Amino acid sequence: MNFKGRDFLKILDFSEEELRYMLDTAKQFKEMKHKGENHKYFPNKNIAILFEKTSTRTRCSFEVAGYDLGMGVTYLDPTGSQMGHKESIADTARVLARFYDGIEFRGFKQETVEELAKYADVPVWNGLTDYCHPTQVLADFLTMEEKFGHLEGLTLAFVGDARNNVANSLMAMSAKMGVNYIACGPNERKPDDELVNKCREIAKKNGCTITVTDDLGALEGKADAIYADVWLSMGEDKDKWGERINLLKPYQVTMNLMNRAKPTTIFLHALPSFHDLNTKVANEVNDQFGIPEMEVTNEVFESERSAVFDEAENRMHTIKAVMYLTLIDEDNNKEEENH
Ligand code: CP
Ligand code: NVA
């Protein structure tokens, strides 16, 4: 298995074995971190993390994982670089690759991160685009594996905006890892047919299924995990809130839905989540549309069955694994000895 120098742009770029290896590496890093074992393997490396959109978990994961691995980290916020304003993606990529050993990018278009990767001769890691969120689902699957002891044969149901970035990556990862996937939401927001067909082919090979439905009954007795995400993603037009609420309200994750699935069903969410009125946006939306809880009720979010903070922690361990595997080289032994 050779990860050295590779980009991490989407789940479908990696084989089943490679994804498994990433999860296993993340587990090792998690153990090291919890034991307080030093793992500053790259004292001579630096990374740049670029954000066109805001972030808490992804930014902090890359920063802390970078520091834990002994690296220097430069954060560039949406206004903090020339990229896109005065300098093309191609030029930015070639400049940054002269300074840094790896580049993370979060932004709007998948094409932007693909272009960065094309021109930068160092690994480029996708920290979320409108199309997918591949580092997120590594954390989600690590969390499921921790909760159930295995992945193969489990059923994961994504409920809501089933064509968003997180849902696209979950479907791909499910197909790769032998997890049955149910995309449950209104027909207007069902996943792209081409991606569904591609994932179905992979799923068939791995003995699992991909189901696309608008019927919540499909989860009954089946879903081991129910996954919700925001109804309007970053970068989408705020004028769409009303339309989206009308479409997705029937798909709010409630305790009743959790119980209809299985008594052991767990709840997952990428976060941030609109489960109460403790945020500015939730209040604005509630004032306008009278909906105090959106994609998940506070009862489910705060329940014992919610694994959302384990998931959030696992972002850091999985991102560390991705960086480590794509950066490690023969010099690393030397770096380790020097350390
Ligand atoms: N889940 C996730 O990507 O969170 P942030 O937007 O805070 O990075
Ligand atoms: N679908 C969400 C995920 C946030 C982590 C968004 O893009 O805003």
Side-chain angles (χ1 to χ4, degrees), residues 146-194:
E146 287 171 344
K147 298 288 168 198
F148 296 102
H150 65 103
L151 286 175
E152 239 173 68
L154 291 177
T155 297
L156 167 66
F158 183 94
V159 178
D161 182 13
R163 59 182 294 113
N164 82 5
N165 44 13
V166 170
N168 285 342
S169 290
L170 285 172
M171 182 161 63
M173 188 70 177
S174 297
K176 291 272 184 183
M177 302 312 287
V179 167
N180 302 305
Y181 181 75
I182 304 173
C184 184
N187 286 328
E188 292 85 342
R189 301 301 300 167
K190 66 179 193 216
D192 176 61
D193 286 338
E194 204 183 313

XYZ file of all heavy atoms in Angstrom, residues 146-194:
367
model
N -16.287 1.765 16.483
C -16.078 1.755 17.933
C -17.363 1.352 18.664
O -17.323 0.635 19.662
C -15.645 3.149 18.419
C -14.218 3.494 18.042
C -13.858 4.955 18.330
O -14.771 5.786 18.547
O -12.665 5.262 18.326
N -18.488 1.812 18.176
C -19.765 1.543 18.862
C -20.240 0.110 18.654
O -20.826 -0.493 19.547
C -20.866 2.497 18.365
C -20.584 3.958 18.636
C -20.725 4.322 20.111
C -20.161 5.699 20.380
N -19.877 5.954 21.773
N -20.024 -0.430 17.444
C -20.588 -1.751 17.135
C -19.540 -2.868 17.073
O -19.883 -4.039 16.944
C -21.354 -1.707 15.804
C -22.556 -0.794 15.848
C -22.523 0.476 15.281
C -23.730 -1.198 16.482
C -23.624 1.320 15.334
C -24.840 -0.363 16.537
C -24.778 0.901 15.965
N -18.273 -2.480 17.099
C -17.216 -3.497 17.053
C -16.883 -3.980 15.654
O -15.958 -4.755 15.458
N -17.660 -3.569 14.673
C -17.406 -3.945 13.267
C -18.182 -2.986 12.364
O -19.025 -2.216 12.853
C -17.884 -5.371 13.003
C -19.377 -5.516 13.130
N -20.223 -5.602 12.057
C -20.180 -5.526 14.217
C -21.476 -5.686 12.472
N -21.478 -5.632 13.789
N -17.883 -3.045 11.069
C -18.624 -2.202 10.116
C -19.475 -3.032 9.165
O -20.642 -2.735 8.929
C -17.642 -1.346 9.304
C -16.994 -0.160 10.024
C -15.950 0.516 9.134
C -18.054 0.859 10.447
N -18.856 -4.089 8.628
C -19.532 -4.888 7.609
C -20.886 -5.374 8.099
O -21.001 -5.873 9.222
C -18.661 -6.089 7.257
C -18.305 -6.109 5.783
C -17.311 -7.196 5.478
O -17.681 -8.377 5.580
O -16.168 -6.833 5.185
N -21.890 -5.192 7.271
C -23.221 -5.691 7.608
C -24.090 -4.693 8.359
O -25.294 -4.894 8.502
N -23.493 -3.595 8.835
C -24.306 -2.576 9.509
C -25.156 -1.842 8.463
O -24.844 -1.868 7.264
C -23.414 -1.538 10.210
C -22.623 -1.977 11.434
C -21.750 -0.823 11.928
C -23.543 -2.454 12.571
N -26.205 -1.163 8.939
C -27.001 -0.314 8.051
C -26.977 1.123 8.572
O -27.296 1.375 9.727
C -28.457 -0.828 7.963
O -28.438 -2.130 7.385
C -29.317 0.093 7.105
N -26.571 2.012 7.675
C -26.502 3.444 7.993
C -27.584 4.162 7.189
O -27.643 4.003 5.962
C -25.115 3.980 7.605
C -24.927 5.494 7.567
C -25.057 6.106 8.964
C -23.563 5.846 6.981
N -28.419 4.938 7.878
C -29.462 5.686 7.169
C -29.191 7.181 7.286
O -29.101 7.706 8.401
C -30.829 5.367 7.746
N -29.033 7.838 6.156
C -28.909 9.296 6.154
C -30.310 9.853 5.917
O -30.963 9.507 4.934
C -27.957 9.771 5.052
C -27.758 11.263 5.064
C -26.696 11.833 5.745
C -28.667 12.101 4.419
C -26.538 13.210 5.781
C -28.510 13.481 4.449
C -27.433 14.033 5.129
N -30.756 10.741 6.810
C -32.122 11.249 6.718
C -32.088 12.763 6.507
O -31.513 13.491 7.319
C -32.895 10.914 8.017
C -34.308 11.473 7.963
C -32.957 9.400 8.218
N -32.683 13.222 5.406
C -32.738 14.668 5.165
C -32.305 15.035 3.763
O -32.802 14.477 2.775
N -31.339 15.963 3.683
C -30.855 16.455 2.387
C -29.855 15.447 1.819
O -28.643 15.643 1.899
C -30.205 17.835 2.582
C -29.733 18.435 1.276
O -30.119 17.925 0.192
O -28.972 19.421 1.317
N -30.391 14.386 1.236
C -29.579 13.215 0.887
C -28.679 13.427 -0.330
O -28.017 12.488 -0.775
C -30.490 12.013 0.676
N -28.650 14.659 -0.865
C -27.720 14.918 -1.974
C -26.647 15.937 -1.567
O -25.984 16.532 -2.402
C -28.447 15.377 -3.240
C -29.276 16.634 -3.095
C -30.009 16.992 -4.375
N -29.136 17.352 -5.459
C -28.980 16.636 -6.572
N -29.634 15.516 -6.761
N -28.183 17.040 -7.525
N -26.470 16.144 -0.268
C -25.449 17.129 0.116
C -24.055 16.484 0.204
O -23.885 15.280 -0.009
C -25.870 17.914 1.373
C -25.596 17.191 2.681
O -25.007 16.107 2.717
N -26.033 17.782 3.779
N -23.078 17.314 0.495
C -21.681 16.866 0.510
C -21.420 15.692 1.465
O -20.778 14.704 1.101
C -20.759 18.050 0.832
C -21.280 18.929 1.969
O -22.200 18.569 2.691
N -20.665 20.092 2.126
N -21.953 15.792 2.687
C -21.721 14.734 3.679
C -22.382 13.439 3.201
O -21.775 12.361 3.238
C -22.262 15.175 5.063
C -22.253 14.021 6.046
C -21.437 16.345 5.604
N -23.625 13.551 2.723
C -24.360 12.367 2.260
C -23.626 11.696 1.090
O -23.522 10.459 1.041
C -25.770 12.754 1.860
N -23.100 12.478 0.167
C -22.368 11.890 -0.967
C -21.186 11.056 -0.485
O -20.945 9.937 -0.963
C -21.850 12.989 -1.899
C -22.955 13.597 -2.734
O -24.034 13.013 -2.875
N -22.702 14.773 -3.296
N -20.444 11.597 0.484
C -19.278 10.855 0.980
C -19.698 9.637 1.796
O -19.045 8.589 1.744
C -18.384 11.762 1.826
O -17.759 12.714 1.002
N -20.791 9.761 2.554
C -21.256 8.618 3.347
C -21.666 7.458 2.439
O -21.392 6.290 2.739
C -22.459 9.020 4.215
C -22.163 9.873 5.449
C -23.467 10.353 6.082
C -21.329 9.111 6.483
N -22.321 7.794 1.335
C -22.768 6.737 0.409
C -21.550 6.013 -0.179
O -21.520 4.779 -0.232
C -23.629 7.351 -0.698
C -24.172 6.350 -1.683
S -25.582 6.969 -2.615
C -24.851 8.324 -3.509
N -20.545 6.790 -0.572
C -19.338 6.186 -1.154
C -18.614 5.324 -0.120
O -18.199 4.198 -0.408
C -18.415 7.292 -1.664
N -18.484 5.835 1.086
C -17.761 5.104 2.136
C -18.530 3.840 2.528
O -17.922 2.791 2.765
C -17.572 6.031 3.347
C -16.687 5.488 4.434
S -14.942 5.418 3.934
C -14.209 4.823 5.463
N -19.854 3.910 2.577
C -20.661 2.733 2.911
C -20.407 1.634 1.884
O -20.158 0.480 2.244
C -22.161 3.088 2.913
O -22.432 4.038 3.903
N -20.479 2.019 0.608
C -20.275 1.028 -0.461
C -18.910 0.369 -0.330
O -18.768 -0.845 -0.484
C -20.404 1.721 -1.819
N -17.916 1.158 -0.013
C -16.542 0.635 0.097
C -16.377 -0.275 1.308
O -15.607 -1.231 1.281
C -15.545 1.792 0.233
C -15.393 2.628 -1.016
C -14.341 2.053 -1.922
C -14.092 2.922 -3.134
N -13.128 2.351 -4.057
N -17.067 0.053 2.409
C -16.823 -0.659 3.667
C -17.849 -1.759 3.949
O -17.878 -2.315 5.050
C -16.785 0.335 4.849
C -15.746 1.434 4.717
S -14.083 0.893 4.251
C -13.548 0.132 5.771
N -18.692 -2.072 2.977
C -19.657 -3.159 3.172
C -20.793 -2.803 4.113
O -21.384 -3.669 4.762
N -21.119 -1.520 4.183
C -22.214 -1.043 5.043
C -23.430 -0.734 4.156
O -23.309 -0.054 3.138
C -21.768 0.224 5.817
C -22.934 0.937 6.471
C -20.710 -0.138 6.864
N -24.588 -1.272 4.525
C -25.813 -0.959 3.774
C -26.158 0.504 4.000
O -26.105 0.979 5.135
C -26.968 -1.831 4.252
C -26.652 -3.303 4.099
O -26.322 -3.768 3.015
N -26.716 -4.029 5.206
N -26.508 1.204 2.930
C -26.767 2.640 3.041
C -28.181 2.954 2.570
O -28.595 2.519 1.488
C -25.754 3.407 2.179
C -25.901 4.908 2.229
C -25.491 5.624 3.343
C -26.458 5.616 1.160
C -25.627 7.012 3.404
C -26.593 6.998 1.195
C -26.167 7.690 2.329
O -26.296 9.068 2.373
N -28.902 3.694 3.400
C -30.239 4.155 3.013
C -30.202 5.679 2.942
O -29.913 6.346 3.942
C -31.315 3.718 4.041
C -31.303 2.193 4.234
C -32.696 4.202 3.605
C -32.229 1.695 5.351
N -30.454 6.224 1.751
C -30.573 7.685 1.596
C -32.058 7.987 1.669
O -32.808 7.627 0.755
C -30.004 8.116 0.252
N -32.493 8.594 2.769
C -33.926 8.808 2.959
C -34.242 10.301 3.025
O -33.799 10.996 3.944
C -34.370 8.101 4.246
S -36.141 8.203 4.490
N -34.997 10.768 2.052
C -35.352 12.185 2.016
C -36.332 12.414 0.875
O -36.666 11.477 0.126
N -36.775 13.659 0.701
C -37.737 13.943 -0.370
C -37.091 13.751 -1.741
O -35.877 13.917 -1.882
C -38.087 15.411 -0.135
C -36.928 15.966 0.616
C -36.370 14.856 1.441
N -37.917 13.405 -2.722
C -37.382 13.150 -4.074
C -36.604 14.329 -4.628
O -35.640 14.160 -5.368
C -38.523 12.790 -5.023
C -39.002 11.383 -4.744
O -38.207 10.518 -4.337
N -40.295 11.157 -4.906
N -37.012 15.542 -4.231
C -36.325 16.758 -4.704
C -34.877 16.809 -4.256
O -34.066 17.527 -4.820
C -37.017 18.018 -4.167
C -38.401 18.296 -4.721
C -39.513 17.550 -3.978
O -39.209 16.568 -3.267
O -40.670 17.939 -4.141
N -34.529 16.095 -3.181
C -33.170 16.146 -2.630
C -32.516 14.775 -2.631
O -31.662 14.477 -1.788
C -33.188 16.719 -1.203
C -33.761 18.114 -1.083
C -33.050 19.169 -1.886
N -31.654 19.333 -1.533
C -30.779 20.021 -2.266
N -31.172 20.582 -3.397
N -29.519 20.119 -1.888
N -32.924 13.920 -3.557
C -32.282 12.603 -3.575
C -30.918 12.673 -4.271
O -30.668 13.575 -5.059
C -33.192 11.542 -4.183
C -33.497 11.712 -5.619
C -34.386 10.572 -6.063
C -34.425 10.552 -7.508
N -35.135 10.342 -8.494
N -30.041 11.721 -3.958
C -28.685 11.821 -4.522
C -28.653 11.678 -6.034
O -29.563 11.107 -6.631
C -27.942 10.654 -3.849
C -28.967 9.807 -3.195
C -30.209 10.592 -3.051
N -27.603 12.203 -6.591
C -27.372 12.167 -8.027
C -27.331 10.720 -8.536
O -26.617 9.879 -7.978
C -26.019 12.861 -8.254
C -25.599 12.822 -9.692
O -26.333 13.381 -10.510
O -24.542 12.222 -9.978
N -28.093 10.447 -9.618
C -28.207 9.065 -10.139
C -26.860 8.458 -10.508
O -26.607 7.276 -10.272
C -29.085 9.042 -11.402
C -30.552 9.216 -11.034
O -30.902 8.934 -9.870
O -31.330 9.652 -11.908
N -26.012 9.290 -11.109
C -24.722 8.758 -11.567
C -23.886 8.257 -10.376
O -23.293 7.176 -10.429
C -23.971 9.870 -12.300
C -22.961 9.342 -13.287
C -22.196 10.488 -13.942
O -22.831 11.469 -14.389
O -20.953 10.392 -13.989
